């Protein structure tokens, strides 16, 4: 599990944005960065700084993936013909933990990773406990029978701060989610602006 699990809101503070759109985010009260000098950190970013920030924001959104994990996904996106930024978003959204989060089976992306790792999820009827497992179009993700009464699921479904996107077909009564199609940037309901084009620029230069 990521080392950021217990301090996920530090990512919000560092970015100065409520990147998951959560009501509990400290950015709703304090838009400046963490630390005693946080309020003074308002310097204009260089091109490199802007690109780095875009990469850190996107990487942080998906549970603060390690740099090695994120760079590997980027390298895959770069190998596919088409817009690399769009391919990157598609690959990130095909992660099993991202699908579980989008389906509103859990309240946060961090909870989604833990939920998958603890064996609460089936893909096409088979148990999968790898958060980075890549879902394919047409795959059906479901909560296993023994886990369907968990309080965290009831809490997540009741959340009004986000909706299920249309590239998933979700049945909350059965706790199933069909991955209909791979989304592009415009399909993904990010609460803040994500800029994968700047991520591409960052890796092109570094």
């Amino acid at each position: 599990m990521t080392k950021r699990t217990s301090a996920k809101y530090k990512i919000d503070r560092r970015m100065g944005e409520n990147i998951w759109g959560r009501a509990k985010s400290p950015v709703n009260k304090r838009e400046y960065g963490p630390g005693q000098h946080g309020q003074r950190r308002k310097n204009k970013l260089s091109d490199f700084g802007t690109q780095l920030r875009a990469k850190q924001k996107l990487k942080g959104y998906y549970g603060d993936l390690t740099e090695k994990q994120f760079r590997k996904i980027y390298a895959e996106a770069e190998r596919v013909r088409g817009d690399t930024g769009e391919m990157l978003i598609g690959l990130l959204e095909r992660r099993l933990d991202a699908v579980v989060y989008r389906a509103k089976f859990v309240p946060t992306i961090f909870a989604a990773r833990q939920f998958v790792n603890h064996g609460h999820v089936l893909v096409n009827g088979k148990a999968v406990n790898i958060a980075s497992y890549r879902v394919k179009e047409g795959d059906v993700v479901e909560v296993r029978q023994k886990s369907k009464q968990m309080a965290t699921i009831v809490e997540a479904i009741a959340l009004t701060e986000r909706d299920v996107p249309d590239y998933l077909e979700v049945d909350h009564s059965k706790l199933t989610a069909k991955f209909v199609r791979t989304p592009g940037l415009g399909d993904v309901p990010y609460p803040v602006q994500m800029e994968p084009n700047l991520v591409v620029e960052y890796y092109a230069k570094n």
Side-chain angles (χ1 to χ4, degrees), residues 42-70:
K42 292 291 183 181
N43 296 336
K44 185 176 180 181
L45 291 174
S46 63
D47 288 346
F48 171 80
T50 302
Q51 293 159 3
L52 176 62
R53 188 184 186 87
K55 184 203 65 154
Q56 298 291 61
K57 185 163 62 171
L58 189 61
K59 185 162 73 78
Y61 182 87
Y62 288 94
D64 211 18
L65 302 174
T66 66
E67 179 60 24
K68 184 178 180 180
Q69 289 173 316
F70 195 73

Side-chain angles (χ1 to χ4, degrees), residues 76-94:
E76 289 185 62
E78 194 177 31
R79 286 196 295 269
V80 181
R81 182 176 295 178
D83 186 294
T84 301
E86 291 284 341
M87 297 298 173
L88 175 61
I89 296 298
L91 289 174
L92 288 167
E93 284 294 308
R94 285 174 57 195

Side-chain angles (χ1 to χ4, degrees), residues 21-189:
R22 299 220 71 197
K24 296 178 181 178
S25 174
V27 176
N28 296 337
K29 297 179 180 178
R30 294 171 291 182
E31 294 185 358
Y32 52 86
Q36 67 182 103
H37 302 297
Q39 295 186 61
R40 284 189 249 165
R41 293 180 191 145
K42 292 291 183 181
N43 296 336
K44 185 176 180 181
L45 291 174
S46 63
D47 288 346
F48 171 80
T50 302
Q51 293 159 3
L52 176 62
R53 188 184 186 87
K55 184 203 65 154
Q56 298 291 61
K57 185 163 62 171
L58 189 61
K59 185 162 73 78
Y61 182 87
Y62 288 94
D64 211 18
L65 302 174
T66 66
E67 179 60 24
K68 184 178 180 180
Q69 289 173 316
F70 195 73
R71 184 179 276 275
K72 183 179 178 182
I73 296 169
Y74 172 79
E76 289 185 62
E78 194 177 31
R79 286 196 295 269
V80 181
R81 182 176 295 178
D83 186 294
T84 301
E86 291 284 341
M87 297 298 173
L88 175 61
I89 296 298
L91 289 174
L92 288 167
E93 284 294 308
R94 285 174 57 195
R95 285 176 57 96
L96 182 55
D97 56 355
V99 173
V100 168
Y101 174 63
R102 291 283 179 228
K104 292 182 70 175
F105 293 158
V106 290
T108 70
I109 189 66
F110 297 91
R113 185 175 300 174
Q114 188 176 51
F115 196 73
V116 174
N117 289 344
H118 287 185
H120 298 301
V121 176
L122 305 177
V123 178
N124 298 329
K126 296 181 180 180
V128 178
N129 62 359
I130 301 169
S132 61
Y133 176 88
R134 191 160 294 157
V135 175
K136 299 186 293 294
E137 293 180 1
D139 281 355
V140 175
V141 176
E142 63 182 305
V143 178
R144 70 172 187 172
Q145 191 62 40
K146 291 182 179 179
S147 307
K148 289 186 176 181
Q149 302 305 316
M150 292 176 66
T152 186
I153 299 174
V154 177
E155 174 197 343
I157 292 173
L159 287 174
T160 58
E161 59 196 19
R162 58 191 176 92
D163 297 318
V164 175
D166 63 8
Y167 48 90
L168 294 180
E169 290 179 359
V170 177
D171 186 335
H172 282 142
S173 64
K174 297 179 180 178
L175 294 180
T176 62
K178 182 179 180 181
F179 190 76
V180 179
R181 61 183 174 83
T182 302
L185 176 62
D187 303 312
V188 183

